Amino acid sequence: MSCFYFLITTAYPELRLITIDSNQLPVIEWQNVRVVTTETLAKGYGASMKNIQDNLANHKARFIEGIHYFKLEGNELQQFKRVPDNIRLISKYISQQILWTEKGAARMSKIVDTDEAWAFFEKMENAYFRPIQYQKTLPGNYIQALEALLESEKEKLVISDERDEAIRTKSQISRTREASAMGKLSVATRKNRELTERLGESVKHATITAVKNATGKEYKFAPLRKWCRENQVEANEVPDIRYGQVKSWPAESWLQVYGINLKSFFANSQRIH
């Protein structure tokens, strides 16, 4: 297993550095968000700066300014340069500067698509983008978001049942209408199950975050991706409150790679109580 560590140091006075493997990442913030430079991504991902820049140009539709990256020019660039620590990181002669957010760095690692890029982002995600106190609250927030969505669907079913019951107490409902009501309930139940699966927690597939929350253990994506490639199986893309979308890995890959039987953890999440 690849090891990494992070260390805040003062190699330069007041300049905070976080070391990941042999790479030193200066701590940079813009608009109260931690960001990294193109140079940092290039070094960590084993690519050239031109490669990162070309990827941004060629996949412009997949990157949103202000969400995945900041492009500093004019007054904003001058404001950035006026921070003493920042002026040490960039040339004073440049006319623009790209700063990558956590979401942008994640998306770029997918485009570079090498084990080195994926692994470095994972280390950077834990050590750089997320302070320890944020890491402690994130699993709870993810679970709360999932539970809130599922609870909303269940409440809709309860309301639907109560409405149908009121109709039945006022008049006799024909067998045909009862069958129709049951059909609607069945559709709602399926929608509830589909919602759970889209969120990456089901007996068919699950995200790394969902399994981590269920087991309390850490898992790497690379072995799962390798198994899927070798067996010509596609992982699902599901919504994620942090990145927009993430991979939800097939049940068979979890079983073969990590010995995890998803039915043991998520079977109950697909039942309506």
Side-chain angles (χ1 to χ4, degrees), residues 25 34-38 40-42 44-45 52 55-56 62-64 67-70 98-113 116-125 128-129 242-243:
L25 280 63
R34 279 201 177 182
V35 292
V36 294
T37 63
T38 299
T40 293
L41 290 189
Y45 291 176
I52 301 296
N55 284 341
L56 175 60
R62 301 179 63 181
F63 293 94
I64 302 173
I67 295 179
H68 298 101
Y69 69 95
F70 297 104
I98 299 293
L99 299 175
W100 299 88
T101 66
E102 181 180 359
K103 290 183 177 180
R107 190 151 293 187
M108 183 58 70
S109 71
K110 294 179 180 179
I111 293 175
V112 175
D113 196 25
E116 184 176 2
W118 283 76
F120 187 79
F121 171 74
E122 187 173 277
K123 297 172 185 178
M124 187 165 53
E125 177 185 35
Y128 181 81
F129 285 114
R242 298 166 297 172
Y243 308 121

Side-chain angles (χ1 to χ4, degrees), residues 212-273:
K212 174 185 174 182
N213 290 338
T215 64
K217 297 180 180 180
E218 298 283 348
Y219 300 94
K220 301 294 184 180
F221 66 86
L224 295 169
R225 184 180 63 172
K226 180 181 178 182
W227 186 93
C228 287
R229 286 179 174 176
E230 291 176 348
N231 292 274
Q232 298 181 340
V233 176
E234 289 290 334
N236 290 2
E237 292 277 352
V238 299
D240 182 86
I241 59 176
R242 298 166 297 172
Y243 308 121
Q245 285 191 323
V246 295
K247 295 288 187 182
S248 189
W249 304 98
E252 186 65 18
S253 66
W254 280 108
L255 184 61
Q256 296 298 324
V257 175
Y258 289 114
I260 296 292
N261 186 347
L262 298 185
K263 291 182 180 179
S264 300
F265 298 100
F266 304 129
N268 290 335
S269 68
Q270 297 187 23
R271 299 192 185 106
I272 302 298
H273 299 287

Side-chain angles (χ1 to χ4, degrees), residues 85-99:
D85 288 348
N86 295 344
I87 196 62
R88 303 171 185 169
L89 308 175
I90 62 175
S91 169
K92 63 181 179 180
Y93 301 109
I94 63 171
S95 58
Q96 69 175 37
Q97 175 69 39
I98 299 293
L99 299 175

